[in-house]
Amino acid sequence: MTFKRTILSGLALATSLALSGCIIVDEQTSPPRVVTVVQEVEPAGPGADDRLNATLWVQQAVEYKATAEGIYALAGMRLDEALADPDWTAVPEAQQPGYQDLPPAIILDADETILDNSAYAAFGIQKGRDFDEASWNAWASSGVAGPVPGAVEFTNAAAAKGVKVFYVTNRDAVTKEGTARNLKALGFPMGGNVDTLMTKGEQPDWGSAKGTRRAVIAVNYRVVMLLGDNFGDFTDDYKGSPEERQRVYEANAAKWGREWIMLPNPEYGSWESSAFGNDYSLTPDARREMKIEQLKAWSQD
């Protein structure tokens, strides 16, 4: 028996192809000869990305659609209760005396509450790219996001009952035109002669915390409901450690599912960043390691 072996030069080993090796003893030679066989392997493609399963779930799972539509059905029932109760408000700290006589309004976040940005996440996963502001603003300005299931129907039903629908989003002010175009194209109510889309940075005090924008709305409206996918859509005390966030959550227990309606977002949010100290200067691998350390795992003895 004879063996043919291909010897790869050092230059070939430096190519972008992944290479794997194994050791074979050729006993047909005298004395036996040890030969290293190098096999070419196709590139592995994008590396591990924490968004993969979450993005696939949002795009394909009927379980996600059923969850979102069920939440908006609950919101519709809660809205009817709120309209029948003049004292009902979702932002008591921002309402002034006599707020019961103000016209009703609801406040919704945009991303992953009414707008589905899973296509942007899929772009990053397939290209092996993390979030970056330039590509995100380009996506947001393109105005092509789809609707979260149930959102268009709920907001239009609210508007038909005389409720003003506000969108308070942390999309940058530079994306406002594209975002407004996106919402209008999907059929969301846009407020008529009232500017109901409030973006981050549009006014000097409109930062990531949304309390100042909620307070502006509360001057002229009885805000009966907040809807969002992130803790910061409901309270400015959304940052901190998981333990600190848990305490704030529990302090507002009576509001959840009533004045405050939460949508699911497994792709990103302040829940994720709290696990790595909100430090986005860390590499994705370092962030992932810190998130793994946060897990409460089964210990099999």
Side-chain angles (χ1 to χ4, degrees), residues 141-297:
S141 296
S142 68
V144 296
V148 169
V152 174
E153 295 81 1
F154 168 74
T155 52
N156 277 284
K161 295 174 181 178
V163 178
K164 188 64 71 174
V165 180
F166 285 89
Y167 311 102
V168 175
T169 173
N170 276 349
R171 288 187 172 200
D172 193 271
V174 300
T175 72
K176 180 165 182 171
E177 186 278 330
T179 301
R181 177 165 32 87
N182 199 165
L183 294 172
K184 185 176 181 180
L186 293 173
F188 286 99
M190 296 306 294
N193 60 352
V194 178
D195 183 3
T196 53
L197 175 60
M198 305 170 77
T199 56
K200 184 178 73 173
E202 197 172 330
Q203 299 295 333
D205 62 343
W206 290 7
S208 296
K210 295 183 174 182
T212 53
R213 284 173 277 175
R214 290 192 291 264
V216 168
I217 297 168
V219 170
N220 297 306
Y221 294 89
R222 176 167 70 100
V223 180
V224 299
M225 192 175 296
L226 306 178
L227 297 97
D229 68 293
N230 189 40
F231 208 8
D233 298 327
F234 306 91
T235 173
D236 287 353
D237 295 326
Y238 63 94
K239 290 187 177 180
S241 67
E243 294 76 17
E244 290 167 333
R245 285 162 51 84
Q246 178 69 23
R247 286 194 290 270
V248 177
Y249 166 79
E250 292 174 358
N252 293 281
K255 298 185 179 73
W256 299 112
R258 193 172 182 271
E259 300 99 336
W260 294 2
I261 305 292
M262 181 73 79
L263 276 293
N265 178 5
E267 294 178 296
Y268 64 90
S270 56
W271 61 269
E272 178 191 17
S273 58
S274 70
F276 52 83
N278 301 294
D279 186 0
Y280 281 97
S281 67
L282 296 170
T283 66
D285 285 344
R287 285 180 246 157
R288 182 176 301 113
E289 184 61 31
M290 292 181 72
K291 287 189 285 185
I292 291 172
E293 291 173 358
Q294 293 275 336
L295 295 175
K296 296 177 175 62

